[in-house]
Amino acid sequence: MQIVLTQPRGFCAGVTRAIEIVERAIELHGTPVYVFHEIVHNPWVVDDLRLRGAVFVNDLAEVPTDAVLVFSAHGVSNAVVAQADRLGLLTIDATCPLVSKVHLQAQRFVRQGHTLLMIGHAGHEEVVGTMGRVDAPVHLVSVVADVAHLDVPAHTPLAYVTQTTLSLDDTREIIAALKARFPRIVGPEVDGICYATQNRQIAVRRLAAQVDLVLVVGARNSSNSNRLREVAERCGVPAHLVQDEHDLKAEWLLGAPRVGVTAGASTPEVLVQRVVDALQSHTAGERLPIVHLAGAREDVSFRLPPGLTAPNTAALAHG
Ligand code: SF4
C-alpha cells in the first residue's frame, strides 16, 4: 500500500486570515468574542476557537449589546450588517477578500442596470451573503436545469456572479447554458471561483489519475471539500469525504493499494496527518511509503483588518 498526498491541500489564505482575526480579536478585546456563523466550515477549527473564548451564533439576537462580533469568512448580507449596527456591536469583518470582490462585482452589475443571477448552492452562507449584498432581486442558479426555468422577461439585461467554491466543470456547463439561452448575458472579467478552489480541484484530478481511492479530509458542510470529492469521483475513482480519522472505513481500503489524500480549504493539516496515521495503522507494523505529488505553489496571503494589526483598536468599525 502507498499513500499519495496532494499539493496544494488544506488551508487557503482566506481561512488562515479569518482564524487569525478571531484569535487577534480575543487577544485585543478579551473573551467572549462572538462570531456570526462558523468562522470557516470545520468543526475542529470551531471547537478550538470555542475553547479559547469564541462564541458562535447563528442569530444576532443571541449577542449582547456592546459585544464584539466577527463576521465569518463566508460574508454576510447588508441586513446582517445593519442589524449589528442597530444593536451597537463592535464588528470585525473576516469575510475573505475574494468573497468581498464578488460582492463588489454583484453591486456593480446591479448599478449598471443588470438583473443579477448567482451561480451557487441554495442556503450556503456565502450565497446568502452575496445575494443579500445587493438591493435588488437575485435569481439563484444551482444546476444546469435551473437555466431553462429562469423566469426573466426577454431583453432583460442579465449578469451573473459565482460562489467562490464551486466545481469548475459544473460552473463551465452552467455558464454555457446561460449563454446559450441569453447570448447577451455578461459575467465578471475574472472568474469568481477562487484560486484555492481551482488549485485544489486541478490537484485532485491529477491525484485521481494515479490512485485507487481518494480521501478528501473536510467537513460535511464544506462546499469546496464536497466539490473535491465529486471531482475525484468523476475521474472514475471511489472517493470519500472524511471529517477525521474516525470516518475511515476499513472496507474502502480493500483492493486499493494506492490511497490518495487531499483536504479542503478549511481543513487544518493536523486532521490530514491524523488520517494518514490511521492509514498507517492499517498495516501490520511496516510504515507505508508516502508520495508527495507536486502541484501549484501558493504564496497568497491577505492582510488583517487595520484595527487588528495594531494594539490601538480605534480603527475597528463600531456598529
Ligand atoms: Fe477565500 Fe477561496 Fe479560501 Fe473561500 S476558499 S476563504 S474564497 S481563498
Side-chain angles (χ1 to χ4, degrees):
M1 223 178 119
Q2 189 181 64
I3 298 169
V4 186
L5 286 172
T6 51
Q7 191 62 37
R9 64 174 182 273
F11 278 6
C12 60
V15 164
T16 303
R17 174 179 179 268
I19 294 169
E20 210 177 328
I21 285 175
V22 178
E23 291 169 342
R24 287 289 294 141
I26 290 172
E27 276 170 34
L28 288 169
H29 299 282
T31 58
V33 160
Y34 289 80
V35 184
F36 186 63
H37 293 147
E38 292 188 340
I39 184 73
V40 300
H41 283 156
N42 189 277
W44 189 94
V45 172
V46 168
D47 287 345
D48 181 55
L49 290 172
R50 194 179 277 128
L51 284 174
R52 291 147 74 181
V55 176
F56 294 88
V57 296
N58 289 317
D59 186 342
L60 292 194
E62 298 168 45
V63 185
T65 311
D66 291 335
V68 176
L69 176 74
V70 178
F71 295 136
S72 81
H74 309 103
V76 294
S77 65
N78 288 338
V80 171
V81 176
Q83 191 186 354
D85 197 15
R86 277 196 305 278
L87 291 169
L89 306 177
L90 178 67
T91 57
I92 304 172
D93 191 2
T95 304
C96 175
L98 300 183
V99 174
S100 299
K101 226 162 133 182
V102 177
H103 292 173
L104 292 174
Q105 180 67 72
Q107 289 160 351
R108 209 172 301 129
F109 279 141
V110 169
R111 264 201 315 276
Q112 290 166 350
H114 293 94
T115 292
L116 192 67
L117 312 181
M118 167 122 210
I119 304 174
H121 296 289
H124 188 279
E125 278 104 331
E126 181 189 328
V127 172
V128 173
T130 301
M131 290 174 72
R133 280 279 161 174
V134 295
D135 297 321
V138 182
H139 300 267
L140 181 64
V141 179
S142 298
V143 292
V144 170
D146 292 343
V147 175
H149 299 115
L150 280 170
D151 186 16
V152 285
H155 310 302
T156 305
L158 291 175
Y160 68 82
V161 291
T162 64
Q163 187 180 342
T164 55
T165 51
L166 296 176
S167 147
L168 291 165
D169 293 336
D170 288 350
T171 310
R172 202 174 299 119
E173 286 168 20
I174 291 173
I175 292 171
L178 283 172
K179 287 186 171 164
R181 185 171 165 204
F182 309 106
R184 294 164 70 92
I185 192 169
V186 294
E189 271 168 31
V190 181
D191 203 335
I193 299 178
C194 78
Y195 80 96
T197 300
Q198 299 199 22
N199 287 346
R200 280 154 190 70
Q201 287 183 19
I202 291 165
V204 82
R205 202 173 285 135
R206 197 177 310 131
L207 175 72
Q210 303 188 30
V211 297
D212 308 290
L213 166 73
V214 170
L215 300 174
V216 179
V217 189
R220 281 183 266 282
N221 61 344
S222 159
S223 170
N224 78 88
S225 301
N226 278 290
R227 303 296 81 77
L228 289 176
R229 193 201 65 74
E230 289 168 8
V231 169
E233 200 172 61
R234 273 189 207 169
C235 296
V237 180
H240 303 281
L241 185 69
V242 292
Q243 296 218 116
D244 56 28
E245 72 278 18
H246 301 297
D247 285 348
L248 278 178
K249 291 198 167 57
E251 66 258 31
W252 295 343
L253 306 176
L254 297 173
R258 288 163 306 166
V259 180
V261 180
T262 186
S266 46
T267 307
E269 182 62 15
V270 62
L271 296 183
V272 175
Q273 292 310 319
R274 273 164 42 177
V275 168
V276 169
D277 290 346
L279 289 172
Q280 294 281 15
S281 71
H282 275 274
T283 58
E286 81 192 81
R287 296 287 294 172
L288 298 175
I290 298 181
V291 176
H292 294 266
L293 274 193
R297 266 177 61 96
E298 290 183 344
D299 51 11
V300 179
S301 64
F302 298 127
R303 268 203 293 263
L304 295 182
L308 293 187
T309 50
N312 173 12
T313 61
L316 292 171
H318 202 146

